[in-house]
Amino acid sequence: MASYEELSRLDMTYHDDVPRIPTREGVELYYESRGEGTAVTLLNTFFLPVPAWRVYTEELDQHYRVVSFDLCNHGHSSKVEEEPTWEEHAADLIALLDALEIESTYLIGLSTSTVFARDVALRYPDRVKGLVLTGPAFGPRGMRRQRQIQRAWLRTLESHGLEGLYEHLYPEVFSAEMNEAIGAPGFLGFRESFSALATVEEMTNGLKRAMQDKSSPEMLAGIQAPTLVVVGDDDFLLSPTGAKELAALFPDGACEIIPKAGHIPFIDDPEGFQAIVRKFVEEVESRA
Amino acid sequence: MPDEVSAVRQSIRELLREQHGGDRFVSTVSDSESLRQAGMSSNALVALLVAMEDAFGFEWDDDVHPEALRSIESLADHVVALRG
């Protein structure tokens, strides 16, 4: 049974001594870089800012250069008037990689940011060595289901605020295993941190932007980078069967299923998730 | 203030002392102050809630309103209310 020990070590504080990286006019990104070697870049969703990743990449930090950053308009990065498009986020990412002198990187996308990872791979293929799509926001036939869920979350957010949204998404996003393991104290305690993760405005803008996303098998066929789809078998959005079908749509795709894990599988099995990423990176690197 | 409420608040302070930085945090936070604004993380809150279940012999319910978790005062009021 998963211990969820990492949850108890989550530290959501930001480092004050990290210089922001200017990416385009009016935009500076908060970033963190740990470890050395092959670059692995983590792509945030609108719900998980940089600090949330730290305890889940400790093993990867030992072997690679792990880079994480807050998207423009989220976390500790610059705020601009209009929510950026994925295209603008991609331009920010490339500028960040340039500033950090990273020629190419593996990308780890999670949920909504798997769309971001896909689009970066399509637009900047030379900068992407491989994709890890964790709990993808799109299925083998499209993403109608994801949009419907996001619309329902948005309505809950608008009518019941962050607390209501938390209650709505908690049983969907997190596995049954985790729900039982951490019980009511966990549910109540993490409700406190959820309301501190982002403002209503940030989440509203993020959800509205994500609802415009599209996916098709043709788009995926254009991705040359080796791609690994990782899902928990208790993912509410994409079943293991769907994940395997999705992986088969990529020219160089593979799939890994994590037992008893939910939509964010590294919360349930940090060790297993990082081992899967390492195996993927080492396999792709060995081809060179 | 009734003795029961006072005693529960004191017990919660003891639990905080054991779990959250010894005297340093407890000596500076007032009964009515927001624990989160005083610097308590959600992980520390989870640990406190678990410890309260053991100390006071009850189980938290998902329906508990966020305001009940706000401060030492509100936590103690919740415990006393449960006792009827």
Side-chain angles (χ1 to χ4, degrees):
Chain A
M1 191 181 81
S3 71
Y4 300 98
E5 180 267 332
E6 285 78 5
L7 271 179
S8 68
R9 292 192 292 110
L10 265 181
D11 175 5
M12 299 302 290
T13 56
Y14 279 84
H15 300 152
D16 294 328
D17 55 346
V18 181
R20 307 291 195 272
I21 298 285
T23 54
R24 55 194 158 92
E25 191 175 343
V27 177
E28 293 186 350
L29 300 186
Y30 175 90
Y31 82 99
E32 293 181 9
S33 175
R34 289 181 295 279
E36 294 176 357
T38 302
V40 174
T41 304
L42 314 171
L43 303 181
N44 288 355
T45 71
F46 305 116
F47 296 99
L48 285 180
V50 165
W53 286 95
R54 292 185 198 126
V55 294
Y56 296 107
T57 60
E58 289 169 342
E59 176 66 20
L60 296 178
D61 295 347
Q62 303 300 312
H63 302 276
Y64 310 117
R65 181 181 187 185
V66 177
V67 175
S68 55
F69 68 100
D70 277 340
L71 298 169
C72 173
N73 258 20
H74 298 272
H76 275 212
S77 290
S78 297
K79 304 290 187 287
V80 297
E81 202 165 311
E82 192 163 338
E83 184 69 15
T85 61
W86 284 129
E87 193 177 336
E88 289 168 319
H89 286 309
D92 286 339
L93 169 60
I94 297 303
L96 175 69
L97 295 176
D98 288 344
L100 299 178
E101 298 181 339
I102 294 172
E103 195 173 318
S104 59
T105 179
Y106 290 85
L107 297 176
I108 299 183
L110 169 68
S111 189
T112 308
S113 70
T114 56
V115 177
F116 183 23
R118 177 202 66 189
D119 290 357
V120 174
L122 283 169
R123 187 172 289 269
Y124 304 98
D126 294 344
R127 308 301 294 266
V128 180
K129 298 180 96 173
L131 293 179
V132 178
L133 304 178
T134 314
F138 47 88
R141 299 188 62 189
M143 53 191 311
R144 280 178 50 77
R145 191 184 202 180
Q146 169 73 2
R147 277 201 298 276
Q148 288 164 344
I149 287 167
Q150 283 166 335
R151 186 162 55 243
W153 285 359
L154 186 60
R155 288 188 175 161
T156 299
L157 180 63
E158 288 169 346
S159 57
H160 297 288
L162 286 170
E163 183 194 332
L165 177 61
Y166 176 82
E167 292 186 1
H168 187 157
L169 63 76
Y170 186 93
E172 293 180 339
V173 169
F174 300 112
S175 67
E177 189 78 6
M178 171 177 155
N179 208 331
E180 297 293 345
I182 70 174
F187 173 81
L188 297 173
F190 292 118
R191 185 172 62 188
E192 294 292 298
S193 62
F194 182 77
S195 59
L197 282 180
T199 64
V200 170
E201 187 184 7
E202 283 174 355
M203 289 216 186
T204 300
N205 290 342
L207 283 169
K208 283 182 176 172
R209 175 64 69 201
M211 282 169 62
Q212 297 172 17
D213 292 337
K214 291 182 173 60
S215 180
S216 69
E218 292 74 28
M219 291 173 85
L220 308 182
I223 292 179
Q224 296 308 312
T227 301
L228 179 66
V229 174
V230 183
V231 294
D233 71 3
D234 195 14
D235 189 321
F236 78 113
L237 191 56
L238 185 62
S239 69
T241 301
K244 288 173 191 165
E245 288 180 6
L246 178 66
L249 295 175
F250 291 87
D252 188 359
C255 181
E256 293 273 4
I257 312 291
I258 301 183
K260 293 188 176 181
H263 187 53
I264 311 175
F266 54 75
I267 288 184
D268 298 278
D269 187 0
E271 198 176 313
F273 176 78
Q274 291 177 88
I276 284 169
V277 172
R278 277 200 67 197
K279 182 177 144 200
F280 171 68
V281 171
E282 296 307 318
E283 191 274 319
V284 175
E285 290 292 300
S286 72
R287 300 180 194 176
Chain B
M1 181 169 52
D3 289 345
E4 186 183 10
V5 173
S6 177
V8 172
R9 288 185 190 179
Q10 193 53 42
S11 297
I12 292 172
R13 284 186 174 277
E14 288 300 321
L15 296 174
L16 278 170
R17 185 173 285 115
E18 290 167 16
Q19 307 214 349
H20 192 58
D23 287 330
R24 200 168 138 204
F25 182 77
V26 173
S27 62
T28 56
V29 68
S30 69
D31 282 353
S32 60
E33 193 175 356
S34 160
L35 292 169
R36 192 170 84 191
Q37 286 175 9
M40 190 172 185
S41 70
S42 59
N43 307 317
L45 178 60
V46 173
L48 175 65
L49 298 183
V50 171
M52 285 180 67
E53 287 186 334
D54 294 336
F56 301 114
F58 74 101
E59 288 190 359
W60 289 100
D61 189 277
D62 287 353
D63 289 336
V64 172
H65 194 272
E67 192 57 31
L69 310 179
R70 184 181 173 280
S71 63
I72 292 171
E73 180 181 16
S74 62
L75 286 165
D77 288 348
H78 182 78
V79 172
V80 172
L82 282 177
R83 288 172 175 172

